[in-house]
């Protein structure tokens, strides 16, 4: 499917199972996709849906290296995991581990897509914001996302930052409890 090939092992890695990546996963061929989840329960649910799924702590470099060793044919990686920044782990530790391990162990890696936020631009009081605007985050979340973006930009793998403004859907958004 990527490059018109038949898939024999996953070529697309989705890191995270939040609202957005769940919708992406639903549209990808199961045999081409591995999904990374935080909990064993979520991994089991994904496996029941036909996905290759694993639990992975991206803050642990050894675990990340083992993952990319097992899945060395990964071509596209989509990182939807929020920045870490807790329990003595720096916000960008997961992104750093991925940026170290993926290029070293995945010779076919062509692209990293990082799900970021328009929060990296800061509050602009309704002013028009484009990608040309200098990022000046004013929240911890925006700052952490910008730091992760910078880590991926420094990686030898081409990357694309998807700065999502808000995620709305069933049970989500303004007015949802």
């Amino acid at each position: 499917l990527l490059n018109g090939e038949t898939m024999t092992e996953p070529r697309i890695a989705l890191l995270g199972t939040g609202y957005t990546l769940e919708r992406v996963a639903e549209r990808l061929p199961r045999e081409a996709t591995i999904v990374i989840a935080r909990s064993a329960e979520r991994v089991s649910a994904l496996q029941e849906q036909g996905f290759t799924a694993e639990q992975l702590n991206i803050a642990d470099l050894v675990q990340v290296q083992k993952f990319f060793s097992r899945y060395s044919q990964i071509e596209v990686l989509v990182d939807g995991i929020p920045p870490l920044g807790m329990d003595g782990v720096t916000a960008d530790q997961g992104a750093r581990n991925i940026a170290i391990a993926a290029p070293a162990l995945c010779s076919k890696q062509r692209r990293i897509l990082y799900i970021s936020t328009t929060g990296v631009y800061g509050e602009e009081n309704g002013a028009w914001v484009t990608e040309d605007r200098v990022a000046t985050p004013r929240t911890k979340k925006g700052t952490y996302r910008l730091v992760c973006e910078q880590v991926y930009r420094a990686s030898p793998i081409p990357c694309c930052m998807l700065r999502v403004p808000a995620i709305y859907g069933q049970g989500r958004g303004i007015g949802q409890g």
Side-chain angles (χ1 to χ4, degrees):
L1 295 166
L2 290 175
N3 298 328
E5 299 173 9
T6 303
M7 299 296 156
T8 56
E9 68 177 82
R11 303 279 176 102
I12 303 166
L14 300 180
L15 305 181
T17 58
Y19 187 84
T20 300
L21 287 190
E22 280 186 18
R23 295 329 168 268
V24 171
E26 290 169 358
R27 288 161 177 77
L28 293 173
R30 303 291 198 262
E31 70 277 3
T33 307
I34 180 162
V35 184
I36 299 305
R38 237 187 315 208
S39 72
E41 296 79 22
R42 188 68 185 118
V43 168
S44 293
L46 289 161
Q47 289 170 341
E48 287 174 15
Q49 295 173 37
F51 285 102
T52 300
E54 286 195 20
Q55 191 173 359
L56 176 67
N57 176 1
I58 63 169
D60 183 328
L61 179 58
V62 173
Q63 279 190 34
V64 173
Q65 289 170 325
K66 287 179 181 178
F67 171 79
F68 284 115
S69 290
R70 280 192 311 276
Y71 298 102
S72 62
Q73 299 301 309
I74 296 293
E75 293 180 25
V76 177
L77 183 138
V78 183
D79 181 356
I81 298 174
L84 303 175
M86 59 187 168
D87 301 326
V89 176
T90 61
D92 62 346
Q93 188 62 52
R96 285 191 189 285
N97 290 343
I98 292 162
I100 290 167
L105 300 167
C106 295
S107 62
K108 294 187 176 192
Q109 183 99 33
R110 297 180 328 173
R111 176 86 50 209
I112 294 174
L113 302 174
Y114 180 62
I115 309 295
S116 188
T117 176
T118 55
V120 301
Y121 296 117
E123 176 59 43
E124 296 300 332
N125 297 317
W128 194 257
V129 176
T130 69
E131 287 97 10
D132 296 328
R133 181 167 301 223
V134 174
T136 54
R138 294 191 182 113
T139 66
K140 189 183 293 188
K141 178 182 173 185
T143 300
Y144 286 177
R145 291 278 186 181
L146 184 60
V147 168
C148 290
E149 286 184 17
Q150 293 165 344
V151 167
Y152 283 130
R153 280 195 183 95
S155 166
I157 298 172
C159 59
C160 177
M161 307 309 152
L162 303 174
R163 290 177 171 168
V164 181
I167 301 171
Y168 297 100
Q170 186 174 1
R172 298 181 58 91
I174 297 173
Q176 300 296 320

